[in-house]
Each structure stands twice: as structure tokens, then as C-alpha cells.
Amino acid sequence: SLCMEHLLKNVEEVVTKEEFLRLGGGRAYLGFEPLWPIHVGWLVWAYKLRELQEAGFDVVVLVATWHAWINDKGSLEELRRHGDEVRQFLGKVAQFKYVYGEELAKDPAYWELAVRVAKGASLARVRRATPVMGRRAEEVELDFAKLLYPVLQVADIFYLGVDVAVGGVDQRRAHMLARDVAEKLGFKKPVALHTPIITSLSGVGRMEGSHREIDEVYAMYKMSKSKPQSAIFVTDPPEEVEKKVWAAYCPPREVRFNPVYELAAYLLIPYHGPLEVGGRRYEDPQALANDYKNGDVSPQALKDAVAKALIDMLAKLK
Ligand code: NAL
């Protein structure tokens, strides 16, 4: 089995590392809003969950139908069907345990927890943890259920007795809220394990003068189903993958918010294998970053390599 240090590779942040290393196992948990088809960014957390499972963690995945419904993603019935499709696909990565939002909602004990969580969190804090299409909750008019979202996410975590809350780094605010409320109310305090986010293929635009915090920037510019041009879907045929990668934002000598580099560094090298770029073989994302930054690897060479490896990776998941 894998050692705990290995589990922290290809992780953007862990809160806290000491708490994580002290866990010998336990329950690892991730929730997603079900919408099929999923994009390749989802694979980054899916493979991390597989590693956690291989290391002996009890991995539970929430098909967050109610949460998606709150966020206007469809009817509960449609969302359940989307959830089934996503689940079938993830079955090609690993066999996880699944729980659906409706199952939790049927238990009165869940709602008792939700009210307790709401009592343990200030309104200001809940607002800050409520993402609305990457914009701050205090900037837009919301229906009230959207404010329940982070409260329910925290209640889910307590309900299932989670030891490690896994998610993209865009989940930071919800997970930090869970940790603080756990401490205040005496629930088990989850470790937060955050995987990297892959930037939108159309890039991040002008960020100068932005007063956003980094997790808000991730949430605004991530690959996303709601911006189809931003994402490569696991169902895209090879020609489509190639076309999208070739057209992607890929600034020369810059790896920050460079989606092509990120696909190589966060997905392909860790979970597909060494990447051949212009006759060199990269087993370590940092070596690739160095050569890209000093110009030894051109954007076109990187795109060619990434498109080829990604097409191969997706073919194996068919
Ligand atoms: C993640 C999501 C929904 C509910 C959750 C409950 C517990 C732990 C994690 C959860 C989805 C996530 C998203 N908020 O933005 O996709």
C-alpha cells in the first residue's frame, strides 16, 4: 500500500499536513454536482481518491443532487440520471462507495445537524462560502437556498463522519467552514485535501488589478461544463481533443494558469505516465516546468505531446 507522504503528491494543499499524517486511514469524502458529460479536470480528484482507497481509506462519493438543484443545474430526476452516468464512468477509474443527496435528506437526523451547523456559523461567513458562478454571494441577488448550500455541505461532512474532505482547491471555503464549525460545536474536524484545478482552455484574461482571492480566481477561471469552450470532455473524440488543445491558451514560458501545462503536470504525468515532449521524457512535472519556462519546450511542442497523451488516456477509459 502507498505511504501517506505519497498521497500528498499532486495535491495543491492539505490542512493540516500534521493532522493528515497522523491519520492511519479513515473515511475520505468528496461531493460533486452531477452533470454529464464530465470534463478531464474531474479525473485529477478521481485518481487521488483511487490512491486514497488503495492506501486503505474508506472512500465515499456524494452525488450531490440537491446541491446541484439549488444551483439551478436541473430537476432532481434529471440530476439523478446524470449522477448515474458519471458514476458509471468513474467506475472505469475505481469502485467507490456512493451516496445520493436524497438519501441524506430523508433522514431527520441530517436536518437536525444542518440546523446545528447553521447555528454555529455567522451569516457573513456563510455568504463568503457561497460561490455563485465564481462571483461572491454578497455581489449578486440570490434565492435563499443558495445560502443553505455551504451549510448543507458542512452537514454532509459531519453526517458521514468524514476524516478527509477531498475536493478541488475551489472547495476551500466550504471545507474551512467545516473545520471551524467542527471545532466550535465539537464534531470531528475533517482534514481538507485539495487537488489542483485545471484552468479554462480560454485562459484567465487580464488579472491585473483583480482584488479576488486565489480560490475565487480558481473558481472563476476553472475548466467548467457551463463554459463548453473552456473544457475537454471525457466523451470528446480524438479530433475534438486535438482541436481544443491546439486552440488552447498556452502562453510561452509561463506555467501559471496555463491549462496545457496543467494537463501535463496535474493529470498526464501523475496518472498516465512520463510525457514525451520534443524527444525528451518528463517523469517529473517540475522538470517540464523548468524547460518550459526557459524556452527549451515551445508551446507547440507541449500541445502536441499533451494532445497525444490525453487522447491515449481517454481511449483507455472508454
Ligand atoms: C461538494 C459538493 C456538494 C456537496 C458536498 C458535500 C460534502 C462535501 C463536498 C461536497 C459539490 C461542490 C462543487 N461544492 O462545487 O462542485
Side-chain angles (χ1 to χ4, degrees), residues 3-172:
C3 69
M4 296 293 280
E5 286 278 358
H6 176 83
L7 295 173
L8 294 179
K9 284 183 75 171
N10 204 29
V11 159
E12 183 82 18
E13 66 175 356
V14 56
V15 188
T16 65
K17 186 173 176 182
E18 293 66 34
E19 289 172 34
F20 181 73
L21 295 177
R22 242 185 277 126
L23 290 173
R27 175 165 285 180
Y29 187 55
L30 176 139
F32 66 81
E33 293 185 23
L35 273 185
W36 181 256
I38 62 171
H39 62 70
V40 295
W42 289 42
L43 295 171
V44 176
W45 58 253
Y47 282 103
K48 184 52 68 184
L49 288 182
R50 182 170 87 178
E51 287 183 344
L52 286 159
Q53 190 171 61
E54 285 167 357
F57 280 86
D58 171 33
V59 174
V60 180
V61 176
L62 170 70
V63 182
T65 45
W66 271 107
H67 298 261
W69 180 82
I70 286 175
N71 273 346
D72 311 309
K73 303 286 171 66
S75 71
L76 279 172
E77 197 189 327
E78 285 164 354
L79 291 162
R80 231 179 351 255
R81 281 201 300 271
H82 281 272
D84 292 339
E85 295 247 37
V86 174
R87 189 176 157 178
Q88 193 180 339
F89 178 83
L90 291 177
K92 294 165 188 174
V93 174
Q95 302 305 311
F96 304 126
K97 286 185 204 160
Y98 289 88
V99 55
Y100 283 70
E102 287 95 327
E103 293 170 45
L104 273 56
K106 271 186 207 141
D107 184 350
Y110 173 75
W111 293 104
E112 180 180 327
L113 257 179
V115 176
R116 288 188 191 281
V117 169
K119 187 71 179 154
S122 74
L123 175 57
R125 184 76 190 274
V126 170
R127 285 176 98 99
R128 283 198 296 275
T130 304
V132 184
M133 302 290 271
R135 301 185 55 203
R136 294 193 182 110
E138 59 265 36
E139 294 173 356
V140 285
E141 190 70 47
L142 300 172
D143 60 77
F144 188 78
K146 290 193 173 61
L147 285 167
L148 286 178
Y149 189 117
V151 170
L152 299 182
Q153 187 163 345
V154 172
D156 297 329
I157 288 169
F158 296 166
Y159 183 82
L160 286 155
V162 175
D163 297 285
V164 189
V166 182
V169 65
D170 55 336
Q171 302 303 309
R172 179 189 284 161

Side-chain angles (χ1 to χ4, degrees), residues 190-203:
V191 173
L193 188 81
H194 297 150
T195 53
I197 292 281
I198 296 187
T199 303
S200 160
L201 297 178
S202 39

